[in-house]
Amino acid sequence: MKKILINIISGALILVIFYFLGREFAANWSQIRSFPFHFNIGILASASLVYALMYLIFAFGWYVILKYLRCNVPLYETILYFFITQPAKYVPGKIWIGVTRMKFCKPHGVSHSITLLSTGTEAVMEIFAATYISLVAILKTNMFGQYSIWWIIAISILGLLILWPRIFYCLINIYLKIVRQEPIVKDHHVSFWKLLSLQLLYIAGVLCLGVSSALFLQSFAPVNTSHFPFLISIGAFGYLASMLAIFTPSGLGVREGVWFFALRTIVAPHVSLVYAFVSRIWTIVMEAILLFIALLLLWTKRRKQKVSI
């Protein structure tokens, strides 16, 4: 009954979001139809490469988390497993990536609980990183004038305090309890410096996400480069919103709504609508390409192992 109710709420929320986006789409149809849709291939390629780099950084982050949890999964396999399991995020609920990873991690002696725990830790690090990037990037636009630098310093200090092991593991265990995963026991706690290095890694990944989003917009609807900090903040905040929207698969509709309402402050409404929808298609295509490459590499590796035996 509870599962049915969650599915109903999820479906209703997606329908409401797409209703409002669809209404805007209909109202701006004449401008959208006449939009000169031409990609700058060089900028599009750069955006795609930076987007792929973002996922590579996140994959390495998962590998580091597994190491911290005393699991010895080879780096090469960890990266392949990461890419192969990403499509699971399009299934409603936020546990399916972890569930699909179980099959791949089990042969390496990683228990199901540790696999879910590593995925939950990964999600928390991404949420923190997206929060920092979105806030700092907004402040870099000088929206708060002379006080921006002090806000950036305050956010940096707060970020360091959150990474203090006692505070960090208290917060992460609250999150894990919400998503019904096992808490991190004290034996698996790591030092402040290890948490800091891990957080910086995820900040670099989210920064790549924001940059790739800005470059993708530049590839077909160029804006002044002075807007880049703002665009990076939208990319980070959209990613954050999609992760926190537990009732929608991969933040479907939520991310598009964030981009539409934020982007229309610097471009025409029809351009923000086009970007919101086309960027989602672009990310799905990129994830499909990375999935195909990872599957091919994993199949090749396993075939070689069978031949050698």
Side-chain angles (χ1 to χ4, degrees):
M1 182 64 184
K2 187 175 180 181
K3 186 177 180 180
I4 294 173
L5 182 61
I6 291 174
N7 288 334
I8 291 173
I9 294 173
S10 175
L13 184 60
I14 293 173
L15 287 175
V16 168
I17 293 170
F18 276 101
Y19 166 75
F20 286 105
L21 290 176
R23 191 174 65 177
E24 292 289 337
F25 194 87
N28 292 276
W29 173 244
S30 58
Q31 293 97 325
I32 293 172
R33 186 174 57 181
S34 60
F35 183 75
F37 211 91
H38 301 290
F39 281 106
N40 181 311
I41 300 302
I43 297 178
L44 178 61
S46 298
S48 300
L49 287 173
V50 176
Y51 189 79
L53 177 62
M54 176 268 291
Y55 268 126
L56 193 61
I57 291 173
F58 283 169
F60 183 70
W62 183 43
Y63 168 77
V64 173
I65 291 171
L66 286 171
K67 280 290 185 184
Y68 287 171
L69 294 173
R70 302 169 190 171
C71 301
N72 294 315
V73 184
L75 176 59
Y76 184 70
E77 279 87 341
T78 303
I79 292 173
L80 296 184
Y81 300 160
F82 180 90
F83 288 137
I84 291 170
T85 56
Q86 282 305 300
K89 68 185 179 183
Y90 291 102
V91 180
K94 299 295 182 182
I95 65 168
W96 298 111
I97 287 182
V99 171
T100 54
R101 286 175 177 176
M102 291 177 182
K103 176 184 177 181
F104 297 101
C105 292
K106 188 64 176 177
H108 298 280
V110 182
S111 67
H112 291 341
S113 61
I114 292 296
T115 301
L116 289 173
L117 181 58
S118 68
T119 304
T121 305
E122 173 191 6
V124 171
M125 299 306 289
E126 289 179 10
I127 288 171
F128 285 164
T131 302
Y132 300 145
I133 293 295
S134 57
L135 290 176
V136 172
I138 288 175
L139 291 170
K140 285 294 288 182
T141 63
N142 288 322
M143 185 180 295
F144 295 89
Q146 61 179 331
Y147 299 104
S148 294
I149 185 63
W150 294 110
W151 277 107
I152 291 174
I153 293 172
I155 291 169
S156 301
I157 293 173
L158 179 62
L160 291 173
L161 288 175
I162 288 174
L163 292 177
W164 198 257
R166 283 191 178 181
I167 298 174
F168 177 81
Y169 286 107
C170 176
L171 293 174
I172 197 172
N173 284 336
I174 291 173
Y175 170 81
L176 292 173
K177 185 177 180 180
I178 292 173
V179 296
R180 297 184 176 181
Q181 294 187 27
E182 292 295 321
I184 300 179
V185 296
K186 195 167 184 179
D187 288 345
H188 287 145
H189 290 192
V190 297
S191 68
F192 167 81
W193 295 108
K194 286 185 176 180
L195 288 175
L196 178 60
S197 62
L198 186 62
Q199 186 64 87
L200 291 174
L201 184 66
Y202 277 95
I203 287 174
V206 174
L207 187 59
C208 286
L209 170 65
V211 172
S212 67
S213 300
L215 287 174
F216 183 72
L217 177 65
Q218 289 292 93
S219 70
F220 69 91
V223 297
N224 194 297
T225 54
S226 62
H227 293 304
F228 261 49
F230 181 61
L231 294 173
I232 291 171
S233 73
I234 301 174
F237 185 73
Y239 188 72
L240 174 64
S242 68
M243 292 193 67
L244 296 178
I246 60 174
F247 294 117
T248 61
S250 191
L252 190 63
V254 176
R255 174 187 167 279
E256 286 74 22
V258 168
W259 270 107
F260 169 66
F261 288 107
L263 194 57
R264 66 187 299 175
T265 60
I266 61 173
V267 299
H270 69 280
V271 176
S272 62
L273 268 173
V274 169
Y275 180 87
F277 286 101
V278 174
S279 63
R280 170 66 78 171
I281 296 172
W282 168 64
T283 57
I284 292 174
V285 170
M286 284 298 303
E287 288 162 6
I289 292 172
L290 293 172
L291 168 65
F292 175 77
I293 293 172
L295 283 171
L296 182 61
L297 292 174
L298 184 61
W299 177 79
T300 303
K301 185 178 186 303
R302 288 182 173 176
R303 188 178 180 184
K304 287 181 178 179
Q305 286 176 339
K306 287 182 179 180
V307 171
S308 63
I309 293 174

